[in-house]
Amino acid sequence: GAGVSQSPRYKVAKRGQDVALRCDPISGHVSLFWYQQALGQGPEFLTYFQNEAQLDKSGLPSDRFFAERPEGSVSTLKIQRTQQEDSAVYLCASSLVLVDSGNTIYFGEGSWLTVV
Amino acid sequence: AQTVTQSQPEMSVQEAETVTLSCTYDTSESNYYLFWYKQPPSRQMILVIRQEAYKQQNATENRFSVNFQKAAKSFSLKISDSQLGDTAMYFCAFMKHGGIQGAQKLVFGQGTRLTINP
């Protein structure tokens, strides 16, 4: 696709519900990142994939958060038993190869999650 | 662990003026990258400018330039001839050099809300 696509753009969940957020990276991009951005804050790293391998999940705040990228393209971030503190914008980003080789990281517009 | 600090929560200038946004960071790494990202209300992060730590020359991109002071761990962004479309949140970000480990995560500051007034 032309850019990183995320869906849904907006999600309102009742506390305790499970949610799934989808990220469709730019075609061919190997690296994929998830970030969480609370209101008025900078984004914070959640997890990183290289193709289908999840190489870093150190930022996932609890075991209620789970991410996958089974075929090395589309990724899903799942949050189980949502809580109010999970309310945030979830940003997905992708990069062509390894970011360290100087490739630009492209961000999606984010999925806005509100837990009520 | 690396930290990034932006000490100016908000700034406001008149159109066509020059504005400088401040950023400091803390790291024990010797090789890394620094970035400025722009985030409009749509929330999509847009890369403004990038600096490799091993390069002494300050990066420039049209009206945007940086003042990179490695010893002081300072990385400020200067926007010249500011335009209404520059109104946005601006985030400073750090990434350590990955080497054979490849891609590394971005560490962001808290952001500066910049408003350009007509």
Side-chain angles (χ1 to χ4, degrees):
Chain A
V4 179
S5 178
Q6 293 187 244
S7 61
R9 287 295 318 279
Y10 304 93
K11 175 70 178 179
V12 178
K14 291 185 178 179
R15 191 172 56 179
Q17 269 187 329
D18 297 349
V19 299
L21 308 177
R22 175 188 169 107
C23 173
D24 204 337
I26 295 172
S27 179
H29 278 201
V30 169
S31 299
L32 186 145
F33 301 82
W34 282 99
Y35 291 85
Q36 180 190 56
Q37 186 176 21
L39 189 64
Q41 304 291 317
E44 294 194 358
F45 170 79
L46 292 177
T47 188
Y48 162 62
F49 290 86
Q50 192 177 115
N51 292 309
E52 68 278 3
Q54 189 175 20
L55 299 187
D56 187 348
K57 54 181 181 179
S58 62
L60 296 177
S62 76
D63 58 7
R64 297 186 296 104
F65 287 72
F66 172 77
E68 60 182 5
R69 195 186 184 196
E71 297 179 357
S73 55
V74 172
S75 177
T76 303
L77 176 66
K78 297 179 180 178
I79 309 173
Q80 297 177 324
R81 305 181 303 281
T82 52
Q83 300 177 6
Q84 284 192 315
E85 60 262 32
D86 299 335
S87 296
V89 176
Y90 292 85
L91 295 169
C92 179
S94 70
S95 182
L96 180 59
V97 190
L98 300 178
V99 173
D100 198 62
S101 59
N103 289 283
T104 299
I105 304 174
Y106 296 89
F107 282 83
E109 291 187 306
S111 289
W112 299 55
L113 173 65
T114 302
V115 181
V116 298
Chain B
Q2 292 80 28
T3 59
V4 178
T5 302
Q6 294 179 248
S7 59
Q8 305 151 312
E10 295 188 22
M11 293 191 73
S12 178
V13 298
Q14 295 300 117
E15 192 176 6
E17 288 183 346
T18 294
V19 59
T20 299
L21 308 183
S22 301
C23 172
T24 58
Y25 58 95
D26 188 25
T27 184
S28 58
E29 302 286 335
S30 59
N31 201 1
Y32 49 87
Y33 303 91
L34 294 164
F35 306 84
W36 278 98
Y37 279 89
K38 171 184 177 180
Q39 188 180 45
S42 70
R43 288 285 182 156
Q44 186 170 20
M45 286 284 191
I46 302 165
L47 178 64
V48 174
I49 199 164
R50 170 173 54 206
Q51 174 82 41
E52 285 96 346
Y54 67 87
K55 290 186 177 179
Q56 292 187 345
Q57 186 173 5
N58 289 323
T60 61
E61 287 288 344
N62 300 314
R63 298 183 294 109
F64 300 87
S65 61
V66 298
N67 183 3
F68 173 46
Q69 301 290 329
K70 191 173 184 178
K73 295 180 182 175
S74 170
F75 183 61
S76 62
L77 173 70
K78 185 171 82 170
I79 305 174
S80 303
D81 185 26
S82 58
Q83 301 175 1
L84 297 179
D86 296 333
T87 294
M89 284 289 291
Y90 285 81
F91 290 94
C92 179
F94 171 100
M95 179 194 299
K96 69 178 183 179
H97 196 279
I100 60 173
Q101 295 177 348
Q104 299 293 319
K105 63 186 178 186
L106 287 163
V107 178
F108 288 89
Q110 298 289 80
T112 296
R113 183 177 303 279
L114 175 64
T115 302
I116 310 298
N117 299 306

